């Protein structure tokens, strides 16, 4: 247990740097840690033989206890047992050293050449660490910069940078390629984005004006891996339909460039998203058969060791060095080393050793969610897979191992999933069990087809046809599980959830591995808590007592859920994050949406809607239907609507919908706008939702022309609650607010460079007598409209 404890202590120190770092300089923490480790080493040297330990005849006479037991064990097994005080000192030293180690790397980030040059422009030579990927605002990639020329000569650099550009990613450029970049360098102003980059070891953002590929990687092994990766991708695309080829590229290579977006959403919603990136399974699926073959051929131990290490390195390079693959690769290397030296190690020690090695080499990995989940899943397997399988003895042994492995891995990652993503799909375990027997055949037959096709095309096509059976089986599992009416395990996030979840998993591990009963207080507490939790969940799952409006805090964007006493659910917009709103809905216990409104095709309103459509049955989608000749977001949304087979309508002023006990009135647009400053904003759907005599006006993004058109048409705009147009921007007319005359006005806004909400808009709203509530100050805004008026939670 000492190695896992050491890995945990060093990890804790790395995580503690942002909290403790300012108290002592990084070198001070390193010295304190070194002192603790040296003190532990000195304290560990002590009596190790029967001549040096006075057991007072107790061995054999009576069972030694306390310090006598420790002394006896030290004598019987020198070096196997460490004194508690020495252990505590060593672990404290590792924590302190971890704090200093993180500080040292943080200082290197601040003292970097690029950080010192920012803000400036110049020419950089770099190697791409990741493939350029397209996002809502252009493309981006991670690069290792080798040199920088800011006009005063070329300076050697060894830093990571986040590079981004407008439009589509540069054609023919992939990870590992050497490129020349002309662009501007800056330290991001947005604190959240800046912190996100720093936790990946990146200090600067490079906005690309021009990018030129100058060749493949300069490293021979990386260049060879690039060739294998490219050849495999070409073969898969030639042998399989596009959808299945993209899925196989994700499964085998961790390459999502050709992955169908709808399929990706289904896998994520089903809890199978981990299959779409290269993981430790890739290492195992290649290494295990190879070692079996080497053993069958009776190859010498040294040959098996060298060949295994080379094979693991090749898999890591071909799959792009994802954190989970790195973890599995180092684990495999340590395991091979142990076997070669005649001292095999337990899985727990291998996990801990891999964590220590990787975090010393790259402490930024401690913040990688992928790395955290990979380690947690593997630790869960090491601790729980065998005990769980033993308790499933009524199943055939292979089935028991599969079920035990799946549950163990899920238990390991659940606290982290609830902490980072605040929910775990209820179908995860069943979906993973269903997918388990399909993954290996899909990968092995798919890769076999690619290899065989390069030599003999008919054989490649035969294997491809065989591979399609398990591959399409995976697609069916993901599709069915994504929308299964199974409640998700949800949380509010936060460190408390992580600590409580980890403690619960640790208790389960202790109980299963020691086979000791829990203390009497545990079942008593469970018997008291479970009914309370069931009652609380039942209350939350039922319909509200009045019309409930929840405006989500999605930053600089819009998303709101309307729920009625009759059970109707309407979602207006999906926010700027691809997954946030879908996760929020799952956490709230939403099972179906009667109506989804995509007010207009701007990223801050609709990027999250495809994931919503993938995860929840939807009755109808409303969308303006006006042309967006410059954007790719609307076509992507329309593809998602089509793939999920959801009815789509493009309503105009005067349209009305009955949704359960709610009435939805469309106030704008009467027709698509042209030649305004922002046609897309003016085309935005404006809805008034009525429940009895209570009304909510969702003025999503109409600017002056659309607002004036509604006023000129004499529409009834009165409402108890107003969702303020355009995040409170200065694009409204005061008369619009006067016509609405709301009791409460909600501004959905986040940190932004536009000055939203502007002061005069807030003043005009308050002049109408409205209480103004902002999501950037209040978080999620929850309003209940009932016979007694409007209440703010």
């Amino acid at each position: 247990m000492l190695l896992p404890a050491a890995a945990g202590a060093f990890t804790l120190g790395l995580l503690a740097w942002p909290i403790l770092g300012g108290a002592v300089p990084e070198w001070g923490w390193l010295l304190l840690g070194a002192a603790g480790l040296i003190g532990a080493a000195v304290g560990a040297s002590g009596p190790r033989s029967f001549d040096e330990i006075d057991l007072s005849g107790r061995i054999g006479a009576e069972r030694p206890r306390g310090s006598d037991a420790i002394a006896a064990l030290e004598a019987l097994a020198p070096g196997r047992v460490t004194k508690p005080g020495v252990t505590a000192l060593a672990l404290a030293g590792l924590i302190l050293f971890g704090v200093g180690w993180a500080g040292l790397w943080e200082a290197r980030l601040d003292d970097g050449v690029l950080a010192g040059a920012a803000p400036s422009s110049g020419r950089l030579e770099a190697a791409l660490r990741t493939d350029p990927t397209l996002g809502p605002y252009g493309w981006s990639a991670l690069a290792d910069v080798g040199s920088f020329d800011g006009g005063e000569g070329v300076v050697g650099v060894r830093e990571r940078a986040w590079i981004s550009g407008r439009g589509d990613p540069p054609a023919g450029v992939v990870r590992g390629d050497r490129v020349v970049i002309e662009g501007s360098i800056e330290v991001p102003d947005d604190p959240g984005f800046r912190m996100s980059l720093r936790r990946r070891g990146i200090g600067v953002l490079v906005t690309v004006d021009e990018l030129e590929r100058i060749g493949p990687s300069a490293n021979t092994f990386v260049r060879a891996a690039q060739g294998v990766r490219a050849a495999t991708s070409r073969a898969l695309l030639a042998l399989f339909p596009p959808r299945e080829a993209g899925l196989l590229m994700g499964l085998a290579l961790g390459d999502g460039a050709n992955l169908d977006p709808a399929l990706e959403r289904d896998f994520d919603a089903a809890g199978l998203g981990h299959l779409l990136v290269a993981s430790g399974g890739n290492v195992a699926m290649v290494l295990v058969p190879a070692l079996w073959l080497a053993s069958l051929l009776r190859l010498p131990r040294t040959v098996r060791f060298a060949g295994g290490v080379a094979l693991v390195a090749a898999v890591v390079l071909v799959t792009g060095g994802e954190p989970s693959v790195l973890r599995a690769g180092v684990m495999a290397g340590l395991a091979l080393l142990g076997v070669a030296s005649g001292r095999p190690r337990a899985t727990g020690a291998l996990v801990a050793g891999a964590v220590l090695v990787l975090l010393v080499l790259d402490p930024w990995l401690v913040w990688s969610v992928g790395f955290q989940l990979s380690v947690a899943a593997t630790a869960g397997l090491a601790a729980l897979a065998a005990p769980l399988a033993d308790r499933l003895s009524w199943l055939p042994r292979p089935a028991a191992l599969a079920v035990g492995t799946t549950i163990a891995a899920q238990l390991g990652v659940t606290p982290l999933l609830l902490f980072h993503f605040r929910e775990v799909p209820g179908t995860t375990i069943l979906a993973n069990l269903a997918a388990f027997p399909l993954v290996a055949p899909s990968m092995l037959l798919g890769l076999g087809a690619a290899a065989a096709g390069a030599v003999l095309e008919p054989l490649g096509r035969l294997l491809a046809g065989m591979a399609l059976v398990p591959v399409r089986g995976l697609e069916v599992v993901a599709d069915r599980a994504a929308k299964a009416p199974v409640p998700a395990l949800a949380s509010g996030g936060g460190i408390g959830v992580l600590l409580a979840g980890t403690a619960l998993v640790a208790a389960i591990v202790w109980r299963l591995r020691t086979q000791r009963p829990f203390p009497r207080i545990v079942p008593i507490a469970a018997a008291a808590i479970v009914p309370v939790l069931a009652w609380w969940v039942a209350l939350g799952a039922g319909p509200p007592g009045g019309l409930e409006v929840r405006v989500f805090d999605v930053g600089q964007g819009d998303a709101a859920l309307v729920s009625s006493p009759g059970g109707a659910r309407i979602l207006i917009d999906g926010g700027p994050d691809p997954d946030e709103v879908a996760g929020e809905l799952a956490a709230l216990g939403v099972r179906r949406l009667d109506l989804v409104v995509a007010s207009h095709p701007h990223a801050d309103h609709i990027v999250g809607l495809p994931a919503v459509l993938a995860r929840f049955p939807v009755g109808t989608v409303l969308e303006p239907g006006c042309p967006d000749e410059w954007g790719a977001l609307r076509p992507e949304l329309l593809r998602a609507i089509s793939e999920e087979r959801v009815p789509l309508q493009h309503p105009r002023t005067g349209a009305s919908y009955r949704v359960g006990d709610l009435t939805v009135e469309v106030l704008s647009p009467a027709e698509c706008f042209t030649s305004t400053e922002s046609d897309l904003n003016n085309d935005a759907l404006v809805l008034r939702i009525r429940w009895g005599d209570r009304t909510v006006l969702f003025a999503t993004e109409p600017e002056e022309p659309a607002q004036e058109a509604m006023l000129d048409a004499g529409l009834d705009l009165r409402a108890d609650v107003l969702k303020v147009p355009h995040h409170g921007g200065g694009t409204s007319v005061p008369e619009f607010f006067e016509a609405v005359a709301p009791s409460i006005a909600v501004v959905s806004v986040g940190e932004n460079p536009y000055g939203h909400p502007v002061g005069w808009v807030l003043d005009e709203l308050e002049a109408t007598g409205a209480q103004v509530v902002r999501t950037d100050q209040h978080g999620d805004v929850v309003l209940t409209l009932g016979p007694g008026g409007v209440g703010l939670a």
Side-chain angles (χ1 to χ4, degrees):
M1 291 298 292
L2 290 181
L3 191 55
F10 186 70
T11 301
L12 183 61
L14 295 176
L15 293 170
W17 165 255
I19 301 171
L20 303 176
V24 179
E26 63 274 5
W27 55 266
W29 291 109
L30 290 170
L31 289 176
L32 288 172
L37 292 172
I38 292 170
V42 172
S45 60
R48 292 291 180 183
S49 68
F50 284 104
D51 294 334
E52 295 173 284
I53 301 175
D54 180 13
L55 299 180
S56 303
R58 289 178 180 154
I59 297 181
E62 62 176 296
R63 188 174 182 177
R65 298 178 181 178
S67 59
D68 294 329
I70 294 173
L73 289 170
E74 285 178 339
L76 294 170
R80 297 290 180 89
V81 177
T82 306
K83 298 174 182 177
V86 172
T87 301
L89 184 60
L91 295 179
L94 279 168
I95 292 173
L96 296 173
F97 196 85
V99 175
W101 194 244
L104 183 66
W105 284 68
E106 186 102 8
R108 290 177 58 186
L109 202 62
D110 292 328
D111 297 338
V113 172
L114 298 180
S120 66
S121 299
R123 181 178 185 272
L124 302 94
E125 289 192 13
L128 295 186
R129 182 180 282 259
T130 61
D131 292 326
T133 55
L134 183 64
Y137 306 104
W139 64 270
S140 60
L142 181 59
D144 294 316
V145 181
S147 68
F148 169 63
D149 184 358
E152 299 179 359
V154 178
V155 179
V157 177
R158 293 187 63 185
E159 300 177 37
R160 297 179 193 173
W162 186 261
I163 64 173
S164 65
R166 295 184 179 87
D168 293 329
V173 178
V174 297
R175 70 180 74 185
D177 283 350
R178 292 174 294 129
V179 296
V180 173
I181 300 167
E182 298 278 352
S184 58
I185 304 167
E186 61 180 312
V187 176
D189 294 327
D190 179 17
F193 184 43
R194 184 168 63 248
M195 180 58 68
S196 173
L197 291 184
R198 289 183 72 85
R199 288 185 172 177
R200 299 178 68 177
I202 305 167
V204 297
L205 164 67
V206 178
T207 302
V208 178
D209 296 325
E210 294 183 21
L211 183 145
E212 178 186 358
R213 180 181 184 272
I214 57 176
S217 173
N219 184 295
T220 302
F221 298 107
V222 174
R223 191 161 60 247
Q226 280 184 282
V228 171
R229 186 181 176 88
T232 304
S233 297
R234 286 194 300 269
L236 291 174
L237 289 168
L239 292 169
F240 291 90
R243 183 180 174 93
E244 285 69 30
L247 176 54
L248 281 169
M249 290 166 67
L251 288 172
L253 304 175
D255 182 357
N258 292 278
L259 193 60
D260 182 87
L263 188 61
E264 182 177 15
R265 290 189 290 268
D266 284 343
F267 270 73
D268 288 339
L272 298 173
H274 61 93
L275 297 177
L276 300 179
V277 295
S279 66
N282 297 65
V283 176
M285 286 183 199
V286 174
L287 183 60
V288 171
L291 290 179
W292 174 81
L293 181 61
S295 176
L296 195 65
L297 296 174
R298 300 183 182 277
L299 296 178
R301 182 182 294 179
T302 53
V303 174
R304 279 182 279 172
F305 169 72
V309 170
L311 192 58
V312 168
V315 172
V316 171
L317 288 173
V318 170
T319 56
E322 293 293 331
S324 56
V325 179
L326 289 173
R327 188 270 312 154
V330 174
M331 270 189 69
L334 293 174
L336 290 168
L337 182 61
V339 172
S341 62
R343 300 182 64 186
R345 298 293 183 183
T347 305
L350 294 175
V351 177
V355 169
L356 273 175
V357 169
L358 289 169
L359 291 183
V360 167
L361 295 175
D362 186 1
W364 303 113
L365 280 174
V366 77
W367 300 106
S368 166
V369 176
F371 182 74
Q372 294 171 7
L373 292 173
S374 174
V375 172
T378 310
L381 291 173
L384 287 170
L388 285 171
D390 291 341
R391 281 158 179 77
L392 296 169
S393 56
W394 49 274
L395 289 173
R397 188 60 181 174
L401 286 172
V403 174
T405 297
T406 301
I407 295 175
Q410 188 60 51
L411 283 172
V413 301
T414 291
L416 282 168
L417 291 173
L418 292 176
F419 172 70
H420 287 295
F421 307 112
R422 300 196 291 178
E423 59 124 0
V424 178
T427 58
T428 292
I429 291 179
L430 290 177
N432 276 278
L433 283 172
F436 183 81
L438 301 172
V439 175
S442 297
M443 284 181 56
L444 295 177
L445 285 171
L447 292 176
V455 179
L456 187 62
E457 184 178 349
L459 178 59
R461 295 204 173 277
L462 174 64
L463 291 175
M466 296 169 63
L468 281 175
V469 176
V471 169
R472 286 181 172 154
L474 282 173
E475 294 175 359
V476 171
V477 169
D479 180 66
R480 297 295 184 271
K483 284 192 171 67
V486 178
L489 178 63
S491 79
I495 191 67
V497 169
L498 178 61
L499 294 176
T502 302
L504 179 59
V505 172
I508 294 171
V509 171
W510 176 83
R511 173 67 180 85
L512 290 177
R513 293 189 69 87
T514 63
Q515 298 187 0
R516 296 178 184 175
F518 287 119
R520 185 175 298 177
I521 188 64
V522 174
I524 294 174
I529 292 172
V530 168
V532 174
L533 287 176
W535 174 75
W536 178 74
V537 170
L539 285 180
L547 179 63
E548 183 181 276
V549 178
R550 181 181 295 266
V551 180
F552 295 108
D553 177 16
V554 292
Q556 183 69 4
D558 267 7
L561 176 69
V562 179
S563 305
S564 76
R569 305 259 191 169
I570 300 173
L571 179 70
I572 295 96
D573 288 333
D577 185 273
D579 303 304
E580 182 179 5
V581 170
E584 294 275 5
L585 295 174
L588 291 170
V590 173
R591 298 289 169 263
R592 172 185 169 82
L593 293 166
D594 301 286
L595 188 66
V596 168
V597 179
S599 66
H600 66 294
H602 275 161
D604 55 335
H605 290 250
I606 68 167
V607 165
L609 289 181
V612 170
L613 295 171
R615 295 187 60 170
F616 303 96
V618 173
T620 303
V621 174
L622 303 184
E623 193 263 347
C626 295
D628 175 18
E629 57 185 285
W630 302 110
L633 292 175
R634 183 169 182 263
E636 175 61 28
L637 175 63
L638 295 180
R639 276 194 297 271
I641 295 169
S642 174
E643 287 162 350
E644 301 301 335
R645 299 179 178 86
V646 180
L648 173 65
Q649 295 189 27
H650 308 298
R652 292 291 177 262
T653 301
S656 180
Y657 298 86
R658 188 70 180 174
V659 183
D661 52 346
L662 300 178
T663 300
V664 180
E665 302 168 350
V666 180
L667 306 182
S668 183
E671 59 184 14
C672 297
F673 283 81
T674 58
S675 304
T676 64
E677 289 189 9
S678 177
D679 291 342
L680 284 184
N681 284 345
N682 287 310
D683 290 336
L685 292 173
V686 177
L687 308 175
R688 192 169 77 147
I689 298 177
R690 287 192 293 109
W691 176 73
D693 59 354
R694 293 299 175 192
T695 54
V696 182
L697 180 62
F698 284 93
T700 52
E701 206 103 320
E703 298 186 352
E704 294 98 328
Q707 293 179 21
E708 289 169 349
M710 286 184 277
L711 291 168
D712 292 343
L715 299 177
D716 183 3
L717 301 176
R718 291 172 299 171
D720 299 296
V721 174
L722 169 66
K723 206 296 294 178
V724 178
H726 204 177
H727 320 291
T731 53
S732 293
V733 294
E735 293 79 8
F736 182 78
F737 301 140
E738 294 169 6
V740 178
S743 299
I744 295 181
V746 183
V747 183
S748 182
V749 66
E751 185 170 339
N752 65 89
Y754 315 113
H756 298 165
V758 299
W760 72 261
V761 168
L762 299 179
D763 292 340
E764 291 290 344
L765 288 167
E766 290 173 353
T768 68
Q771 177 187 354
V772 178
V773 186
R774 298 166 48 169
T775 57
D776 62 337
Q777 297 177 349
H778 192 277
D780 284 5
V781 175
V782 183
L783 304 166
T784 302
L785 291 76
V790 182
L792 173 64

